[in-house]
Amino acid sequence: NRIQIFDSLGGFIKSFGKKGSQDGELDGPTGVAIDREGNILVSDSNNHRLLVFDTFGTQLLKKIGSFGEEHGMFNNPCGIAVDNRNGNILV
């Protein structure tokens, strides 16, 4: 229930997040992507949402979605990708 960042040689740099459902907390993160600005996007599966953190993982910038079956809602989102040409988020 956290995100860990490693350098290209596998050395630990930092981690952020903890178990929960409040802002910045995670419950079963299953996917991570980086957008054009370097922000970190996380599919927070058990909280049925996407979270967008700043480049350093120190600030939550945005929450996207909630539980449900309508447009813009999720039921355990797993994977995430960013279309770097247009900035679209694919889940």
XYZ file of all heavy atoms in Angstrom:
691
model
N 0.824 -1.206 0.000
C 0.000 0.000 0.000
C 0.860 1.259 0.000
O 0.547 2.234 0.669
C -0.961 -0.029 1.181
C -1.965 -1.150 1.049
O -2.620 -1.284 0.036
N -2.062 -1.987 2.049
N 1.952 1.170 -0.754
C 2.827 2.323 -0.916
C 3.481 2.221 -2.282
O 3.480 1.172 -2.912
C 3.880 2.367 0.188
C 4.853 1.215 0.110
C 5.951 1.336 1.170
N 6.933 0.312 0.939
C 7.170 -0.708 1.751
N 6.487 -0.833 2.863
N 8.088 -1.591 1.454
N 4.059 3.305 -2.710
C 4.820 3.361 -3.952
C 6.286 3.499 -3.561
O 6.631 4.341 -2.729
C 4.383 4.557 -4.824
C 2.891 4.491 -5.124
C 5.226 4.629 -6.092
C 2.437 3.245 -5.853
N 7.133 2.675 -4.151
C 8.566 2.750 -3.900
C 9.263 3.175 -5.187
O 8.906 2.714 -6.271
C 9.116 1.406 -3.439
C 8.517 0.943 -2.120
C 9.203 -0.294 -1.609
O 10.283 -0.221 -1.046
N 8.566 -1.445 -1.819
N 10.249 4.030 -5.058
C 11.009 4.530 -6.200
C 12.457 4.055 -6.063
O 13.054 4.212 -5.001
C 10.940 6.063 -6.274
C 9.471 6.509 -6.373
C 11.766 6.578 -7.452
C 9.270 7.997 -6.280
N 12.972 3.494 -7.153
C 14.339 2.982 -7.197
C 15.096 3.654 -8.331
O 14.499 4.043 -9.338
C 14.328 1.469 -7.433
C 13.657 0.691 -6.345
C 12.281 0.510 -6.351
C 14.394 0.148 -5.305
C 11.645 -0.204 -5.337
C 13.772 -0.567 -4.288
C 12.400 -0.738 -4.300
N 16.421 3.755 -8.199
C 17.215 4.277 -9.303
C 17.416 3.186 -10.348
O 16.970 2.049 -10.173
C 18.545 4.863 -8.810
C 19.496 3.845 -8.210
O 19.403 2.630 -8.524
O 20.371 4.251 -7.418
N 18.076 3.516 -11.446
C 18.224 2.575 -12.558
C 19.071 1.358 -12.210
O 19.027 0.353 -12.918
C 18.818 3.283 -13.771
O 20.102 3.796 -13.452
N 19.811 1.414 -11.111
C 20.614 0.270 -10.668
C 19.901 -0.567 -9.605
O 20.447 -1.545 -9.112
C 21.964 0.749 -10.134
C 22.843 1.482 -11.152
C 24.107 2.017 -10.473
C 23.194 0.575 -12.316
N 18.687 -0.171 -9.245
C 17.912 -0.910 -8.251
C 18.080 -0.403 -6.835
O 17.559 -0.994 -5.899
N 18.791 0.707 -6.660
C 18.964 1.289 -5.327
C 17.717 2.048 -4.903
O 17.132 2.809 -5.678
N 17.308 1.834 -3.677
C 16.114 2.488 -3.136
C 16.344 3.987 -3.033
O 17.375 4.432 -2.526
C 15.781 1.915 -1.760
C 14.620 2.584 -1.086
C 13.327 2.258 -1.440
C 14.828 3.542 -0.113
C 12.242 2.877 -0.836
C 13.751 4.163 0.503
C 12.462 3.832 0.137
N 15.363 4.765 -3.496
C 15.410 6.220 -3.379
C 14.444 6.699 -2.309
O 14.830 7.376 -1.372
C 15.086 6.903 -4.725
C 16.158 6.559 -5.766
C 14.967 8.412 -4.549
C 15.863 7.081 -7.142
N 13.165 6.344 -2.452
C 12.165 6.788 -1.475
C 10.873 6.013 -1.659
O 10.703 5.298 -2.649
C 11.908 8.287 -1.609
C 11.175 8.659 -2.888
C 10.861 10.140 -2.993
C 9.862 10.531 -1.953
N 9.447 11.886 -1.931
N 9.957 6.168 -0.728
C 8.620 5.607 -0.853
C 7.618 6.632 -0.327
O 7.987 7.552 0.409
C 8.495 4.288 -0.085
O 8.593 4.501 1.298
N 6.370 6.464 -0.741
C 5.306 7.321 -0.221
C 4.001 6.542 -0.232
O 3.848 5.552 -0.929
C 5.189 8.637 -1.005
C 4.796 8.477 -2.449
C 3.468 8.518 -2.835
C 5.756 8.309 -3.424
C 3.110 8.379 -4.168
C 5.414 8.182 -4.762
C 4.086 8.213 -5.132
N 3.062 7.014 0.579
C 1.763 6.376 0.703
C 1.711 5.434 1.887
O 2.736 4.975 2.388
N 0.490 5.183 2.344
C 0.237 4.213 3.404
C -1.185 3.702 3.222
O -1.973 4.272 2.470
C 0.430 4.823 4.786
C -0.566 5.910 5.126
C -0.339 6.430 6.540
C -1.418 7.446 6.888
N -1.315 7.886 8.272
N -1.515 2.609 3.905
C -2.834 1.990 3.749
C -3.926 2.903 4.271
O -3.818 3.481 5.348
C -2.894 0.659 4.486
C -4.228 -0.060 4.280
C -4.199 -1.468 4.796
C -5.519 -2.185 4.641
N -6.050 -2.258 3.302
N -4.971 3.028 3.478
C -6.116 3.820 3.896
C -6.914 4.299 2.705
O -6.640 3.955 1.558
N -7.902 5.134 2.977
C -8.762 5.655 1.923
C -8.849 7.178 1.926
O -9.599 7.763 1.156
C -10.162 5.060 2.052
O -10.720 5.404 3.304
N -8.075 7.800 2.800
C -8.065 9.260 2.844
C -7.155 9.801 1.736
O -6.490 9.047 1.034
C -7.581 9.731 4.223
C -8.435 9.259 5.373
C -9.870 9.717 5.272
O -10.148 10.884 5.021
N -10.820 8.784 5.440
N -7.109 11.117 1.598
C -6.253 11.732 0.591
C -4.809 11.251 0.733
O -4.249 11.290 1.830
C -6.279 13.252 0.708
C -7.579 13.854 0.208
O -8.427 13.094 -0.315
O -7.740 15.071 0.328
N -4.235 10.782 -0.363
C -2.843 10.336 -0.372
C -2.616 8.932 0.143
O -1.501 8.427 0.081
N -3.659 8.287 0.660
C -3.536 6.914 1.145
C -3.952 5.943 0.048
O -4.719 6.300 -0.848
C -4.388 6.715 2.401
C -3.925 7.567 3.566
C -4.786 7.409 4.800
O -5.946 6.937 4.703
O -4.307 7.780 5.880
N -3.433 4.725 0.131
C -3.645 3.724 -0.908
C -4.175 2.433 -0.315
O -3.856 2.086 0.813
C -2.313 3.424 -1.614
C -1.585 4.617 -2.228
C -0.152 4.257 -2.546
C -2.314 5.084 -3.459
N -4.960 1.724 -1.117
C -5.429 0.398 -0.728
C -5.383 -0.489 -1.974
O -6.299 -0.473 -2.789
C -6.838 0.450 -0.152
C -7.288 -0.882 0.426
O -6.489 -1.838 0.429
O -8.450 -0.970 0.864
N -4.300 -1.195 -2.121
C -4.131 -2.083 -3.257
C -3.734 -1.379 -4.543
O -4.387 -1.580 -5.564
N -2.687 -0.541 -4.513
C -2.254 0.086 -5.759
C -1.786 -0.982 -6.748
O -1.043 -1.884 -6.378
C -1.108 1.004 -5.333
C -0.586 0.392 -4.070
C -1.774 -0.230 -3.405
N -2.264 -0.908 -7.987
C -1.953 -1.956 -8.954
C -1.284 -1.449 -10.221
O -0.831 -2.249 -11.022
C -3.229 -2.710 -9.353
O -4.183 -1.753 -9.819
C -3.794 -3.478 -8.176
N -1.236 -0.163 -10.419
C -0.603 0.373 -11.616
C -0.018 1.741 -11.348
O -0.535 2.500 -10.532
N 1.087 2.031 -12.042
C 1.755 3.326 -11.906
C 2.149 3.800 -13.296
O 2.588 3.008 -14.127
C 3.017 3.217 -11.023
C 3.754 4.538 -10.943
C 2.662 2.737 -9.626
N 1.997 5.083 -13.545
C 2.430 5.688 -14.804
C 2.951 7.100 -14.500
O 2.661 7.665 -13.449
C 1.279 5.748 -15.802
N 3.699 7.638 -15.443
C 4.241 8.993 -15.325
C 3.704 9.806 -16.493
O 3.757 9.362 -17.641
C 5.787 8.976 -15.371
C 6.364 8.011 -14.331
C 6.350 10.384 -15.209
C 6.085 8.374 -12.900
N 3.206 11.018 -16.212
C 2.698 11.853 -17.301
C 3.801 12.764 -17.844
O 4.943 12.711 -17.390
C 1.446 12.630 -16.876
C 1.696 13.717 -15.849
O 2.877 14.076 -15.589
O 0.707 14.234 -15.292
N 3.451 13.603 -18.810
C 4.432 14.478 -19.474
C 5.108 15.441 -18.516
O 6.244 15.849 -18.739
C 3.758 15.297 -20.572
C 3.294 14.480 -21.737
C 2.766 15.355 -22.828
N 1.524 16.005 -22.425
C 0.659 16.557 -23.249
N 0.905 16.550 -24.534
N -0.446 17.105 -22.813
N 4.422 15.825 -17.459
C 4.983 16.761 -16.479
C 5.803 16.057 -15.405
O 6.351 16.683 -14.519
C 3.873 17.585 -15.822
C 3.203 18.586 -16.750
C 2.196 17.935 -17.686
O 1.531 16.961 -17.274
O 2.085 18.391 -18.835
N 5.838 14.728 -15.451
C 6.568 13.961 -14.455
C 5.745 13.601 -13.241
O 6.264 13.050 -12.273
N 4.444 13.910 -13.266
C 3.570 13.533 -12.153
C 3.400 12.019 -12.126
O 3.457 11.357 -13.156
C 2.207 14.203 -12.290
C 2.306 15.705 -12.216
O 3.042 16.250 -11.405
N 1.563 16.382 -13.073
N 3.162 11.479 -10.938
C 3.018 10.042 -10.737
C 1.541 9.719 -10.599
O 0.867 10.221 -9.694
C 3.790 9.598 -9.478
C 5.260 9.978 -9.602
C 3.622 8.100 -9.244
C 6.046 9.862 -8.297
N 1.034 8.876 -11.507
C -0.368 8.461 -11.495
C -0.446 7.036 -10.977
O 0.333 6.179 -11.395
C -0.959 8.521 -12.897
C -1.130 9.917 -13.492
C 0.165 10.419 -14.072
C -2.199 9.904 -14.534
N -1.367 6.789 -10.066
C -1.506 5.473 -9.436
C -2.948 5.001 -9.546
O -3.872 5.744 -9.206
C -1.101 5.530 -7.943
C -1.241 4.165 -7.297
C 0.303 6.081 -7.764
N -3.138 3.762 -10.023
C -4.476 3.164 -9.955
C -4.605 2.537 -8.570
O -3.896 1.613 -8.212
C -4.705 2.139 -11.068
O -3.708 1.158 -11.081
N -5.474 3.113 -7.768
C -5.698 2.734 -6.377
C -6.895 1.785 -6.363
O -8.031 2.186 -6.132
C -5.937 4.004 -5.565
C -6.025 3.755 -4.075
O -5.614 2.684 -3.607
O -6.515 4.670 -3.373
N -6.629 0.518 -6.622
C -7.653 -0.461 -6.963
C -8.777 -0.582 -5.940
O -9.953 -0.447 -6.282
C -7.004 -1.827 -7.191
O -7.949 -2.750 -7.627
N -8.458 -0.861 -4.703
C -9.505 -1.118 -3.710
C -10.244 0.137 -3.264
O -11.303 0.045 -2.645
C -8.925 -1.857 -2.506
C -8.443 -3.249 -2.873
O -8.935 -3.861 -3.809
N -7.449 -3.742 -2.154
N -9.688 1.316 -3.581
C -10.399 2.572 -3.324
C -11.141 3.061 -4.571
O -11.761 4.123 -4.537
C -9.434 3.655 -2.825
C -9.033 3.446 -1.383
O -9.835 3.014 -0.564
N -7.790 3.743 -1.059
N -11.040 2.294 -5.672
C -11.804 2.566 -6.892
C -11.557 3.972 -7.437
O -12.497 4.699 -7.775
C -13.304 2.351 -6.654
C -13.611 1.082 -5.933
N -13.487 -0.149 -6.533
C -13.987 0.847 -4.654
C -13.794 -1.087 -5.654
N -14.098 -0.511 -4.502
N -10.269 4.339 -7.543
C -9.935 5.682 -8.005
C -8.530 5.718 -8.570
O -7.766 4.769 -8.434
C -10.049 6.683 -6.854
C -9.031 6.391 -5.746
C -9.227 7.260 -4.547
N -8.221 6.963 -3.522
C -8.178 7.512 -2.340
N -9.107 8.410 -2.003
N -7.239 7.196 -1.473
N -8.208 6.833 -9.183
C -6.846 7.125 -9.604
C -6.360 8.297 -8.773
O -7.130 9.205 -8.465
C -6.800 7.527 -11.076
C -7.441 6.591 -12.080
C -7.319 7.185 -13.480
C -6.825 5.220 -12.024
N -5.093 8.260 -8.417
C -4.495 9.371 -7.688
C -3.350 9.928 -8.518
O -2.598 9.173 -9.142
C -3.966 8.907 -6.326
C -5.001 8.341 -5.356
C -4.320 7.882 -4.074
C -6.079 9.363 -5.051
N -3.219 11.247 -8.505
C -2.130 11.913 -9.207
C -1.297 12.661 -8.172
O -1.812 13.536 -7.470
C -2.661 12.894 -10.277
C -1.492 13.546 -11.010
C -3.600 12.183 -11.253
N -0.025 12.273 -8.078
C 0.915 12.894 -7.147
C 1.925 13.733 -7.922
O 2.184 13.464 -9.107
C 1.690 11.824 -6.364
C 0.838 11.012 -5.435
C 0.259 9.828 -5.863
C 0.620 11.421 -4.131
C -0.521 9.057 -5.011
C -0.163 10.666 -3.268
C -0.735 9.484 -3.704
N 2.542 14.681 -7.256
C 3.609 15.439 -7.901
C 4.812 14.527 -8.158
O 4.825 13.370 -7.745
C 4.000 16.666 -7.069
C 4.674 16.336 -5.745
O 4.929 15.155 -5.434
O 4.949 17.284 -4.991
N 5.792 15.045 -8.841
C 6.971 14.281 -9.250
C 7.668 13.585 -8.087
O 8.258 12.525 -8.257
C 7.981 15.223 -9.945
O 7.319 15.833 -11.049
C 9.196 14.483 -10.430
N 7.605 14.172 -6.909
C 8.310 13.630 -5.752
C 7.425 12.752 -4.872
O 7.899 12.180 -3.898
C 8.901 14.783 -4.930
C 9.729 15.713 -5.752
C 9.233 16.942 -6.142
C 11.000 15.352 -6.169
C 9.983 17.805 -6.918
C 11.768 16.193 -6.955
C 11.252 17.429 -7.330
N 6.137 12.674 -5.178
C 5.216 11.889 -4.366
C 4.890 12.553 -3.046
O 4.355 11.912 -2.140
N 5.172 13.836 -2.925
C 4.953 14.529 -1.661
C 3.601 15.229 -1.576
O 3.132 15.538 -0.484
C 6.062 15.571 -1.409
O 6.126 16.449 -2.528
C 7.403 14.887 -1.216
N 2.975 15.471 -2.735
C 1.705 16.187 -2.733
C 0.703 15.488 -3.646
O 1.011 15.179 -4.799
C 1.916 17.620 -3.208
C 0.654 18.444 -3.186
C 0.916 19.876 -3.650
O 2.022 20.247 -4.000
N -0.122 20.674 -3.645
N -0.483 15.255 -3.123
C -1.577 14.732 -3.931
C -2.157 15.886 -4.732
O -2.603 16.885 -4.171
C -2.663 14.109 -3.044
C -3.897 13.585 -3.773
C -3.530 12.416 -4.691
C -4.963 13.177 -2.776
N -2.121 15.757 -6.062
C -2.618 16.820 -6.937
C -4.075 16.643 -7.327
O -4.795 17.619 -7.506
C -1.767 16.889 -8.209
C -0.274 17.109 -8.014
C 0.448 17.051 -9.346
C -0.026 18.436 -7.299
N -4.501 15.372 -7.462
C -5.837 15.136 -7.987
C -6.302 13.728 -7.657
O -5.511 12.796 -7.627
C -5.794 15.300 -9.503
C -7.104 15.292 -10.206
C -6.960 15.379 -11.729
C -6.074 16.505 -12.170
N -5.995 16.653 -13.625
N -7.606 13.583 -7.413
C -8.268 12.283 -7.310
C -9.229 12.181 -8.478
O -9.954 13.136 -8.759
C -9.043 12.157 -5.999
C -8.193 12.194 -4.754
C -9.027 12.010 -3.512
C -9.854 13.242 -3.247
N -10.584 13.211 -1.970
N -9.239 11.027 -9.145
C -10.107 10.835 -10.299
C -10.961 9.598 -10.067
O -10.437 8.523 -9.785
C -9.275 10.661 -11.584
C -8.395 11.886 -11.821
C -10.180 10.384 -12.775
C -7.380 11.708 -12.931
N -12.266 9.739 -10.200
C -13.169 8.607 -10.147
C -13.645 8.239 -8.759
O -13.225 8.783 -7.748
N -14.564 7.268 -8.766
C -15.142 6.711 -7.549
C -15.726 5.357 -7.927
O -15.681 4.958 -9.084
C -16.224 7.634 -6.987
O -17.272 7.781 -7.932
N -16.298 4.650 -6.964
C -16.856 3.326 -7.229
C -18.144 3.434 -8.031
O -19.007 4.260 -7.746
C -17.134 2.591 -5.917
C -17.733 1.233 -6.137
C -16.954 0.192 -6.599
C -19.084 1.019 -5.914
C -17.515 -1.067 -6.828
C -19.653 -0.233 -6.126
C -18.855 -1.276 -6.589
N -18.265 2.585 -9.045
C -19.502 2.532 -9.805
C -19.287 2.019 -11.207
O -18.180 1.661 -11.599
N -20.364 2.009 -11.974
C -20.327 1.489 -13.340
C -20.604 2.556 -14.389
O -20.629 2.255 -15.580
C -21.326 0.341 -13.476
C -20.969 -0.841 -12.600
C -21.914 -2.019 -12.775
O -22.670 -2.044 -13.761
O -21.891 -2.906 -11.915
N -20.827 3.772 -13.983
C -21.090 4.859 -14.925
C -19.765 5.385 -15.485
O -18.686 5.056 -14.987
C -21.844 5.998 -14.225
C -23.166 5.578 -13.617
C -24.184 5.123 -14.651
O -24.228 5.722 -15.742
O -24.928 4.167 -14.372
N -19.864 6.239 -16.508
C -18.676 6.863 -17.077
C -17.902 7.598 -15.985
O -18.493 8.297 -15.157
C -19.044 7.852 -18.179
C -19.669 7.202 -19.371
N -19.020 6.256 -20.132
C -20.888 7.356 -19.927
C -19.801 5.867 -21.106
N -20.960 6.507 -21.007
N -16.584 7.414 -15.969
C -15.744 8.091 -14.983
C -15.694 7.404 -13.629
O -15.046 7.907 -12.713
N -16.358 6.267 -13.499
C -16.349 5.504 -12.250
C -15.577 4.214 -12.468
O -15.395 3.772 -13.602
C -17.778 5.212 -11.799
C -18.598 6.449 -11.589
S -20.306 6.039 -11.196
C -20.363 6.598 -9.523
N -15.117 3.603 -11.365
C -14.289 2.413 -11.449
C -14.774 1.311 -10.510
O -15.404 1.591 -9.497
C -12.834 2.740 -11.083
C -12.206 3.764 -11.968
C -11.987 5.056 -11.512
C -11.816 3.452 -13.259
C -11.397 6.000 -12.321
C -11.228 4.389 -14.079
C -11.010 5.673 -13.607
N -14.408 0.087 -10.866
C -14.595 -1.074 -10.012
C -13.258 -1.812 -10.018
O -12.996 -2.611 -10.900
C -15.732 -1.959 -10.522
C -16.031 -3.103 -9.584
O -15.366 -3.284 -8.569
N -17.032 -3.890 -9.921
N -12.420 -1.487 -9.080
C -11.073 -2.044 -8.942
C -10.204 -1.807 -10.180
O -9.789 -2.754 -10.849
C -11.123 -3.541 -8.609
C -11.820 -3.808 -7.305
O -12.961 -4.242 -7.302
N -11.153 -3.540 -6.212
N -9.889 -0.557 -10.498
C -9.014 -0.292 -11.639
C -7.636 -0.908 -11.406
O -7.093 -0.817 -10.308
C -8.939 1.239 -11.684
C -9.162 1.657 -10.264
C -10.148 0.656 -9.721
N -7.102 -1.562 -12.422
C -5.828 -2.273 -12.252
C -4.677 -1.616 -12.992
O -3.680 -1.267 -12.406
C -5.974 -3.719 -12.705
S -7.046 -4.674 -11.629
N -4.794 -1.485 -14.285
C -3.692 -0.937 -15.075
C -3.910 0.526 -15.375
O -5.028 1.042 -15.330
N -2.815 1.210 -15.687
C -2.899 2.623 -16.044
C -1.768 2.937 -17.010
O -0.673 2.379 -16.895
C -2.841 3.523 -14.783
C -3.087 4.984 -15.147
C -1.535 3.349 -14.061
C -3.300 5.867 -13.919
N -2.049 3.795 -17.975
C -1.049 4.246 -18.931
C -1.366 5.687 -19.297
O -2.489 6.153 -19.115
C -1.055 3.368 -20.179
N -0.353 6.385 -19.803
C -0.545 7.765 -20.233
C -0.131 7.880 -21.692
O 0.938 7.414 -22.085
C 0.290 8.740 -19.367
C 0.169 10.156 -19.889
C -0.151 8.677 -17.917
N -0.995 8.471 -22.487
C -0.706 8.783 -23.875
C 0.094 10.083 -23.871
O -0.471 11.165 -23.734
C -2.024 8.943 -24.646
C -1.857 9.538 -26.017
O -0.717 9.672 -26.496
O -2.885 9.879 -26.627
N 1.408 9.980 -23.982
C 2.256 11.163 -23.856
C 2.106 12.148 -25.009
O 2.531 13.282 -24.902
C 3.711 10.752 -23.679
C 3.968 10.252 -22.275
O 3.442 10.801 -21.317
N 4.746 9.206 -22.146
N 1.493 11.738 -26.113
C 1.267 12.669 -27.213
C 0.158 13.654 -26.852
O 0.272 14.847 -27.078
C 0.916 11.916 -28.481
C 0.770 12.841 -29.657
C 0.553 12.169 -30.959
N 0.304 10.741 -30.861
C 0.218 9.932 -31.892
N 0.372 10.387 -33.087
N -0.030 8.652 -31.724
N -0.938 13.135 -26.268
C -2.086 13.982 -25.955
C -2.313 14.170 -24.464
O -3.157 14.960 -24.067
C -3.349 13.382 -26.575
C -3.277 13.343 -28.076
O -2.899 14.316 -28.712
N -3.598 12.196 -28.665
N -1.622 13.398 -23.623
C -1.796 13.519 -22.183
C -2.994 12.770 -21.639
O -3.330 12.906 -20.461
N -3.658 11.970 -22.483
C -4.821 11.198 -22.018
C -4.386 10.088 -21.075
O -3.307 9.517 -21.243
C -5.574 10.599 -23.205
C -6.162 11.653 -24.103
O -6.674 12.674 -23.628
N -6.087 11.437 -25.400
N -5.233 9.780 -20.117
C -4.998 8.697 -19.166
C -5.861 7.515 -19.577
O -7.072 7.656 -19.760
C -5.350 9.140 -17.728
C -4.540 10.374 -17.342
C -5.129 7.996 -16.751
C -5.044 11.058 -16.083
N -5.251 6.347 -19.702
C -5.973 5.137 -20.081
C -5.978 4.175 -18.901
O -4.936 3.923 -18.300
C -5.302 4.478 -21.287
C -5.305 5.307 -22.563
C -4.078 6.205 -22.612
C -5.328 4.409 -23.757
N -7.162 3.634 -18.570
C -7.302 2.754 -17.414
C -7.980 1.468 -17.841
O -8.965 1.504 -18.562
C -8.134 3.422 -16.300
C -8.201 2.528 -15.080
C -7.564 4.771 -15.951
